[in-house]
């Protein structure tokens, strides 16, 4: 067996001197020079991750050529492969690593393969470290050598993949070698593969077990992945085909797939397929590619699986909807007018004023957006999705234009959308817009974002505080958008009055102002003891708005029909308990029609329905006697939004949901509501009563009665009610957010089931939204660059409005006649002050 010698014949010296000193591990000057060039090349590669400058590819190539020429000159590398000196193998492996870095730098601008997935990036780094550590192989103990050769063998499989992937480039690459040697990069994986194979062959007899393990493990895993890919893809395709045999066409075909498909990492990759990943069909690409999820990614597992399987026969828009139903990807799939893959969120300022005595808070998020592209012509669009606490509403928007803060105008959603699309899509000038979305989310867009300057946008949100067991909870408003993992955040929170038992992430005991700075943290909350509700009203335009504790009117009732909304969240014991309790009455489930449960079909139906990841119960199928019916459900976090169902028979039919005799009664067995039911609750179509199996077994069934007046709204999570009354003469410091929250909930209440008919837009609702300056399904906030832009799109500043909310806004606003008195008094005072000088 041949012993691999250390560079410079150091192996013999080590045998003669068994005692090792620290200088025995110090690399030679020649090897250190190679490490330095590798470090410089990696620095250029990291820098070009955002800059993507073509000239940088030549810089790393110069480093690679320089070290290669150096090794040829010093005799550590030969032109003829068979004559390579074995004792200098570590130097040549290091040289090939510098060449690999050069390959990936060139790939930034001429993309043979798209951006590597995270696991592939880690594998490439480990392969590089393995090649570097090989220099110290002679000094290693046996167990460390085994580990080294396991990684070396695994790297061999990786370079075999890259070699096969680049084979088709060889004819063109031979020609491109004449062009500054660029074509040589295509052959680097082949040379690395040959070097690894020769290395493993030389040590096979002493390390064959480690080598076999390192080679067979990634191959076996790849085979497993390909097999599972085909099995899962066949299941998806089968579910899709079966959806066409349904006896009803209530829901789109993709819903049937989303209900049945298992939500795992293989399913995700199959559905994202050519939406996110480079596959065998779209591998011939030489330019940066933008997909539905921004930049495409290169995953060898997906590439290999796509080679050994047929393409999924489902349209891309349906794949996106399936993914949206089983994962939260609504942000990633928003329609874009411009790319945003070079944008980052640089800084965040979170300022909040909490009103404990009113159980509400106003939060401002100020975001600084940077475009990291090197080229000034790469104008991009920033899109954010903000996730709000239940019942929250956007009440202000600002965009900095030419260094000046410009506040948003409230207008109809259609006008705002038309103005933004026209200006961004055609004229490329400064707008920002915020739209209401289902599921307690907001969409905020900012344009243009260039590399020449940063953009700053501010969104203000009014939120009720969640009340739970004597505690009020303030939840941070988080977002998805341009990368914010490296963003710095300043947090400042103040209270309108001192609070007790304050609990917060910063462990501060101050109840006046909390201040903190550091890295951005999206998920946090603070809590404190619930104080007594303030009775002080806020007055505006002849009306006052007051708070009171929530008193939900309930009455016991015996439903004539009970519907079980069974899905994957249900347990067999829960189902059996309810069946035993209500089997003597009308107990039904939905499966392509209502089916009465009995001893013969109940088990079969349960297991069939439990296979569904989520349920979409057709409430519009409930008879007109809905006031005497009860739907028992168990919610799932992942399910389609109503917007996803747009254009389907389900969406068209849901407008026929009967609420003439009040909202449909829902008994929820858990605290979670599906996005579908959550929207219906916000619109007042359903009334949800939290209950348990034990309560239902005892016959404790309650009906939630509708509010007795149209001038009050219930904020259930805050356990309070806001009432609109005739204006009082009392002057208070109550915040104007009382009116804003009232208006939002009142508008949603008025829209109700009309939301599905798309004819709910009325002057009355628009005026109510404008008065409170709030974003709703019918209204949006928009900032345009010039006054002429507002005039061109007929967007006018709201009169007699609260305007944009601010951290300082509080207290009743004077009425018109009060303003007259104030002005008159000021004139009188001014007259007497100036009289002495006249």
């Amino acid at each position: 067996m041949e012993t691999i010698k250390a560079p410079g014949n150091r192996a013999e010296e080590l045998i003669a001197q068994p005692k090792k000193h620290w200088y025995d591990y110090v690399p030679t000057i020649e090897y250190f020079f190679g490490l330095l060039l590798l470090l410089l090349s990696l620095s250029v590669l990291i820098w070009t991750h955002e800059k993507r400058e073509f000239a940088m590819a030549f810089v790393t190539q110069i480093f690679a050529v320089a070290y290669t020429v150096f090794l040829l000159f010093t005799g550590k590398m030969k032109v003829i492969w068979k004559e390579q000196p074995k004792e200098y193998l570590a130097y040549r492996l290091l040289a090939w690593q510098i060449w690999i870095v050069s390959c990936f730098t060139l790939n930034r601008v001429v993309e043979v393969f798209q951006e590597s997935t995270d696991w592939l990036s880690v594998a490439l780094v480990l392969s590089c470290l393995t090649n570097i550590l090989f220099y110290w192989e002679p000094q290693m103990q046996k167990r460390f050598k085994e580990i080294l050769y396991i990684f070396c063998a695994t790297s061999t499989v990786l370079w075999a993949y890259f070699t096969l992937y680049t084979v088709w480039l060889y004819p063109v690459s031979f020609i491109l070698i004449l062009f500054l040697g660029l074509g040589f990069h295509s052959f680097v994986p082949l040379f690395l593969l040959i070097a690894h194979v020769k290395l493993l062959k030389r040590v096979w007899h002493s390390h064959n077990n480690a080598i076999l393990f390192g080679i067979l493990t990634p191959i076996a895993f790849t085979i497993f992945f390909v097999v599972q890919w085909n099995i899962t893809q066949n299941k998806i395709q089968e579910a899709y085909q079966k959806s066409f045999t349904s006896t009803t066409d209530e829901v789109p075909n993709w819903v049937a797939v989303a209900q049945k498909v298992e939500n795992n990492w293989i399913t995700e990759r199959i559905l994202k397929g050519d939406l996110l990943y480079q596959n065998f069909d779209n591998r011939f690409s030489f330019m940066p590619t933008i997909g539905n999820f921004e930049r495409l990614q290169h995953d060898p597992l997906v590439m290999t699986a796509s080679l050994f399987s047929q393409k999924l026969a489902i349209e891309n828009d349906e794949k996106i909807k399936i993914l949206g139903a089983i994962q939260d990807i609504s942000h990633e799939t928003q329609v874009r007018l411009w790319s945003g893959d070079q944008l980052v969120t640089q800084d965040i300022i979170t300022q909040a004023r909490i009103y404990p005595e009113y159980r509400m808070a106003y939060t401002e998020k100020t975001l600084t957006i940077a475009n990291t592209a090197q080229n000034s012509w790469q104008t991009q669009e920033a899109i954010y999705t903000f996730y709000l606490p239940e019942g929250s509403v956007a009440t202000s928007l600002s965009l900095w234009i030419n260094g000046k803060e410009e506040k948003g105008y409230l207008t109809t959603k259609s006008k705002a959308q038309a103005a933004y699309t026209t200006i961004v899509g055609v004229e490329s000038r400064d707008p920002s817009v915020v739209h209401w979305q289902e599921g307690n989310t907001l969409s905020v867009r900012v344009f243009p974002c260039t590399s020449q300057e940063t953009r700053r946008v501010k969104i203000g949100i009014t939120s009720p505080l969640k009340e739970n067991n004597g505690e009020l909870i303030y939840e941070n408003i988080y977002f998805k958008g341009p990368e914010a993992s490296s963003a710095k955040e300043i947090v400042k929170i103040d209270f309108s009055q001192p609070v007790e038992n304050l609990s917060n992430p910063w462990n501060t005991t101050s109840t006046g102002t909390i201040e903190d700075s550091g890295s951005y943290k999206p998920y946090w909350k603070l809590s404190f003891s619930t104080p007594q509700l303030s009775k002080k009203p806020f007055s505006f335009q002849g009306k006052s708005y007051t708070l009171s504790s929530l008193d939900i009117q309930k009455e016991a009732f015996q439903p004539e029909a009970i519907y079980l909304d069974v899905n994957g969240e249900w347990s067999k014991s829960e189902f059996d308990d309810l069946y035993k309790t209500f089997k003597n009455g009308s107990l039904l489930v939905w499966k392509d029609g209502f089916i009465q449960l009995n001893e013969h079909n109940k088990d079969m139906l349960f297991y069939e329905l439990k296979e569904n990841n989520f349920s979409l119960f057709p409430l519009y199928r409930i008879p007109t006697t809905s006031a005497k019916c009860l739907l028992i459900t168990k919610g799932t976090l992942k399910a389609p939004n109503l917007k996803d169902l747009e254009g389907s028979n389900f969406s068209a039919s849901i407008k026929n949901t009967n609420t003439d005799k009040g909202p449909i009664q829902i008994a929820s067995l858990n605290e979670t509501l599906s996005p579908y039911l959550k929207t219906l609750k916000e619109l007042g179509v359903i009334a949800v009563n939290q209950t348990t199996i034990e309560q239902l077994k005892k016959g404790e069934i309650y009906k939630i009665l509708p509010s007795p007046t149209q001038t009050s709204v219930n904020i259930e999570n805050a356990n309070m009610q806001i009432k609109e009354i005739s204006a009082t003469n009392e002057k208070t410091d109550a915040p104007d957010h009382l009116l804003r929250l009232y208006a939002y909930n009142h508008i949603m209440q008025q829209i109700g089931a009309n939301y599905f008919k798309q004819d709910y837009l009325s002057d009355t609702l628009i005026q109510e939204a404008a008065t409170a300056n709030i974003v709703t399904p019918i209204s949006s906030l928009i900032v345009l660059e010039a006054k002429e832009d507002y005039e061109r799109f007929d967007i006018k500043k709201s009169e007699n409005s609260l305007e944009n909310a601010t951290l300082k806004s509080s207290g009743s606003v004077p009425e018109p006649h009060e303003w007259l008195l104030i002005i008159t008094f000021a004139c009188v005072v001014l007259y007497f002050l100036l009289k002495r000088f006249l």
Side-chain angles (χ1 to χ4, degrees), residues 111-163:
E111 291 196 340
V112 175
F113 36 82
Q114 304 293 340
E115 189 170 307
S116 300
T117 54
D118 291 341
W119 79 261
L120 179 57
S121 299
V122 171
L124 290 168
V125 170
L126 289 176
S127 177
C128 179
L129 290 175
T130 300
N131 281 261
I132 293 172
L133 290 173
F134 186 75
Y135 178 88
W136 291 273
E137 187 267 352
Q139 294 100 318
M140 291 183 182
Q141 297 179 8
K142 184 177 179 180
R143 61 177 178 273
F144 291 114
K145 287 185 179 182
E146 294 287 316
I147 296 173
L148 182 69
Y149 283 114
I150 288 174
F151 281 102
C152 187
T154 302
S155 297
T156 304
V157 177
L158 181 64
W159 298 122
Y161 166 80
F162 278 108
T163 299

Side-chain angles (χ1 to χ4, degrees), residues 231-469:
I231 291 173
T232 305
Q233 182 166 282
N234 289 338
K235 288 181 179 179
I236 294 173
Q237 196 66 56
E238 182 181 355
Y240 188 69
Q241 295 300 327
K242 280 186 177 180
S243 67
F244 290 95
T245 65
S246 174
T247 56
T248 66
D249 55 357
E250 300 281 340
V251 295
N253 301 102
W254 62 264
V255 171
V257 179
Q259 285 181 315
K260 300 296 183 184
V261 69
E262 185 178 355
N263 184 17
N264 56 40
W265 64 288
I266 294 180
T267 301
E268 177 187 353
R269 281 159 176 76
I270 291 173
L271 292 173
K272 288 183 177 179
D274 50 3
L275 299 171
L276 176 62
Y277 298 106
Q278 192 176 14
N279 58 43
F280 191 73
D281 293 328
N282 65 5
R283 67 191 184 281
F284 299 107
S285 172
F286 292 96
M287 294 301 292
T289 307
I290 304 299
N292 293 70
F293 297 84
E294 287 293 341
R295 298 187 61 80
L296 291 179
Q297 295 183 2
H298 179 214
D299 188 326
L301 291 173
V302 174
M303 178 66 71
T304 305
S306 66
L307 175 62
F308 294 100
S309 62
Q310 295 182 345
K311 187 175 181 179
L312 194 63
I314 301 178
E315 295 296 327
N316 284 347
D317 61 340
E318 291 185 298
K319 291 180 186 176
I320 291 173
K321 289 180 177 179
I322 294 171
L323 282 165
I326 62 177
Q327 297 181 348
D328 182 15
I329 61 162
S330 57
H331 172 76
E332 290 79 359
T333 56
Q334 288 196 60
V335 176
R336 283 187 168 275
L337 300 177
W338 294 73
S339 174
D341 64 314
Q342 300 292 315
L343 301 180
V344 296
T345 304
Q346 197 173 71
D347 298 298
I348 303 163
I349 300 175
T350 299
Q351 294 179 277
R353 180 160 180 79
I354 298 176
Y355 303 90
E357 70 275 32
Y358 294 96
R359 297 184 189 176
M360 61 184 65
Y362 173 67
T363 305
E364 287 184 348
K365 291 276 186 180
T366 306
L367 310 178
T368 303
I369 309 159
N371 186 334
T372 59
Q374 176 68 18
N375 303 308
S376 59
W377 51 264
Q378 280 191 275
T379 300
Q380 300 210 318
E381 176 188 25
I383 300 179
Y384 287 91
T385 297
F386 284 84
Y387 295 81
L388 314 183
E390 183 180 348
S392 301
V393 56
T395 50
S396 73
L397 175 70
S398 293
L399 178 68
W400 274 254
I401 300 176
N402 298 324
K404 181 183 177 182
E405 180 183 2
E406 300 291 347
K407 294 185 176 295
Y409 282 28
L410 193 95
T411 186
T412 62
K413 186 173 184 177
S414 58
K415 283 185 179 181
Q417 186 65 46
Y420 183 86
T421 303
T422 301
I423 292 175
V424 171
V426 180
E427 302 170 12
S428 303
R429 292 190 288 117
D430 291 68
S432 179
V433 67
V434 54
H435 292 305
W436 177 92
Q437 293 185 146
E438 292 178 21
N440 296 315
T441 61
L442 296 171
S443 173
V444 178
R445 294 171 179 256
V446 180
F447 185 87
C449 300
T450 69
S451 59
Q452 297 172 315
E453 63 175 351
T454 57
R455 300 308 307 269
R456 179 176 292 181
V457 64
K458 180 172 70 179
I459 177 78
I461 296 160
T462 300
S463 305
L465 299 177
K466 182 179 179 180
E467 202 276 336
N468 184 35
N469 296 325

Side-chain angles (χ1 to χ4, degrees), residues 712-729:
S712 65
V713 296
N714 296 337
I715 315 293
E716 292 185 18
N717 60 328
N719 196 25
M720 67 181 184
Q721 184 180 73
I722 306 177
K723 295 179 181 178
E724 180 188 73
I725 60 176
S726 299
T728 65
N729 294 324

Side-chain angles (χ1 to χ4, degrees), residues 765-803:
L765 294 181
I766 287 293
Q767 183 56 48
E768 186 170 7
T771 299
N773 203 76
I774 55 175
V775 175
T776 69
I778 59 175
S779 57
S780 298
L781 280 167
I782 189 169
V783 179
L784 300 179
E785 184 175 0
K787 181 179 179 181
E788 293 75 17
D789 292 325
Y790 290 107
E791 294 174 351
R792 179 156 57 106
F793 293 101
D794 193 28
I795 298 175
K796 301 175 181 178
K797 188 174 183 179
S798 302
E799 297 180 359
N800 298 321
S801 160
L802 291 180
E803 300 185 350

